[in-house]
């Protein structure tokens, strides 16, 4: 048991060290280490802690640790089933607009994650030539252009017509992305409230929450998922698990 705890904790801490080198700082990067450190402590101090856990207050601590990890794991598996299920669905043809959610820039150009979202959006737009696209996202820290502007440039360079692109450049969250996109579609594109459908494009792990938020924003929406980087998938899904749980607790889903 001691060896198992130490090996598992080192794997979790190692994941954080690896992810922190290639990903922007976020909870998904650091959560594996936060989960691993208590396991490492138990493994290193196994003999004295085993005696402590065998009686009195120590039993309560042991139950809290075991119960906490068990609940976290069961919740994680349950939410992942929802996330994966939502990512597998395909939108119907004929939507009036595609809304591409922002995902950060690198040197003023779409990050790899954002480029994959744009490529998925392009596939749908090419198959539905009357469909508009709303690119969303403001100017991030350290950037000189908005995400929406960089996304527009990316789409234009790949042959999409200028007149099909609408920009939303003031949002800082998924909810603002979608609320502002709705306003643009109804004011600038003249779509009538309640009489159009949109396809929300995001990364696979984010589609479930994005569609829930779209519903709160008053949009009739279906999802279209781009793939996430497999080597960061555990971090992405851990972060999204915490986000979904937080949204549920706050009544935002």
């Amino acid at each position: 048991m001691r060896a198992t705890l130490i090996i598992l904790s080192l794997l979790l801490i190692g994941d954080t060290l690896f992810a922190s080198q290639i990903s922007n700082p976020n909870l998904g990067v650091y959560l594996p280490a936060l989960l691993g450190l208590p396991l490492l402590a138990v493994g290193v101090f196994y003999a004295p802690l085993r005696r402590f856990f065998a009686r009195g207050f120590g039993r309560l601590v042991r139950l809290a640790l075991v119960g906490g990890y068990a609940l976290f794991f069961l919740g994680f598996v349950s939410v992942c089933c929802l996330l994966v299920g939502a990512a597998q669905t395909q939108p119907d043809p004929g939507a009036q607009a595609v809304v591409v959610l922002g995902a950060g820039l690198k040197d003023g150009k779409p990050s790899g994650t954002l480029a994959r979202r744009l490529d998925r959006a392009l596939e749908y737009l090419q198959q539905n030539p009357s469909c508009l696209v709303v690119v969303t996202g403001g100017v991030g820290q350290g950037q000189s252009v908005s995400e929406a502007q960089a996304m527009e440039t990316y789409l234009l360079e790949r042959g999409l017509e200028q007149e099909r692109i609408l920009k939303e450049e003031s949002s800082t969250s998924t909810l603002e992305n979608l609320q502002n996109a709705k306003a643009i579609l109804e004011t600038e594109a003249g779509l009538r409230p309640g009489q159009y459908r949109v396809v929300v494009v995001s990364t696979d792990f984010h589609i479930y929450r994005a569609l829930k938020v779209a519903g709160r924003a008053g949009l009739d929406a279906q999802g279209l998922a781009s793939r996430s980087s497999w080597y960061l998938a555990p971090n992405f899904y851990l972060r999204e698990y915490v986000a979904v749980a937080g949204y549920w607790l706050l009544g935002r889903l």
Side-chain angles (χ1 to χ4, degrees):
M1 176 61 75
R2 180 179 186 180
T4 300
L5 290 171
I6 292 175
I7 291 171
L8 179 57
S9 66
L10 291 178
L11 288 173
L12 289 167
I13 294 169
D15 176 83
T16 288
L17 294 174
F18 169 74
S20 65
Q21 300 302 309
I22 58 177
S23 177
N24 294 326
N26 61 73
L27 182 60
V29 169
Y30 300 114
L31 191 53
L34 293 176
L35 293 170
L37 287 172
L39 300 180
L40 180 62
V42 173
V44 170
F45 301 102
Y46 187 75
L49 283 175
R50 186 176 182 182
R51 292 192 294 271
F52 171 70
F53 289 150
R55 59 185 182 275
F57 178 69
R59 288 183 178 180
L60 296 177
V61 175
R62 183 186 63 183
L63 287 173
L65 282 171
V66 173
Y69 274 94
L71 286 173
F72 186 92
F73 178 75
L74 290 174
F76 178 65
V77 171
S78 300
V79 170
C80 280
C81 289
L82 294 176
L83 304 184
V84 171
Q88 298 304 311
T89 60
Q90 296 297 316
D92 298 323
Q96 284 68 41
V98 168
V99 179
V100 187
L101 300 181
L105 305 179
K106 184 176 182 180
D107 300 324
K109 296 182 179 181
S111 63
T113 296
L114 184 52
R116 287 190 288 272
R117 293 185 186 184
L118 292 165
D119 290 340
R120 286 292 277 161
L122 271 171
E123 292 175 12
Y124 190 89
L125 292 164
Q126 290 164 354
Q127 296 165 3
N128 297 270
S130 63
C131 185
L132 301 172
V133 58
V134 184
V135 289
T136 67
V139 180
Q141 185 176 4
Q143 298 294 335
S144 58
V145 298
S146 69
E147 289 187 25
Q149 178 62 59
M151 293 158 76
E152 179 186 48
T153 300
Y154 185 95
L155 294 173
L156 291 172
E157 290 174 347
R158 283 151 184 79
L160 191 69
E161 301 87 347
Q162 176 75 67
E163 59 270 19
R164 296 177 67 185
I165 304 174
L166 300 168
K167 289 188 296 184
E168 185 285 299
E169 299 181 275
S170 61
S171 60
T172 59
S173 68
T174 299
L175 180 58
E176 289 180 1
N177 285 160
L178 294 164
Q179 288 176 330
N180 295 344
K182 181 177 185 291
I184 288 171
L185 287 169
E186 293 173 5
T187 56
E188 296 185 23
L191 299 182
R192 295 184 178 181
Q195 297 185 23
Y196 63 93
R197 177 169 53 88
V198 302
V199 172
V200 176
V201 180
S202 191
T203 311
D204 47 20
F205 62 86
H206 187 239
I207 284 291
Y208 174 82
R209 183 159 56 101
L211 290 179
K212 292 292 186 180
V213 174
R216 290 189 66 237
L219 288 167
D220 177 8
Q222 294 180 308
L224 180 60
S226 63
R227 63 178 177 82
S228 55
S229 302
W230 64 269
Y231 47 85
L232 286 175
N235 306 89
F236 290 145
Y237 279 86
L238 277 171
R239 182 182 67 182
E240 192 62 18
Y241 164 50
V242 174
V244 168
Y247 271 51
W248 276 337
L249 290 173
L250 295 173
R252 296 168 63 184
L253 287 183

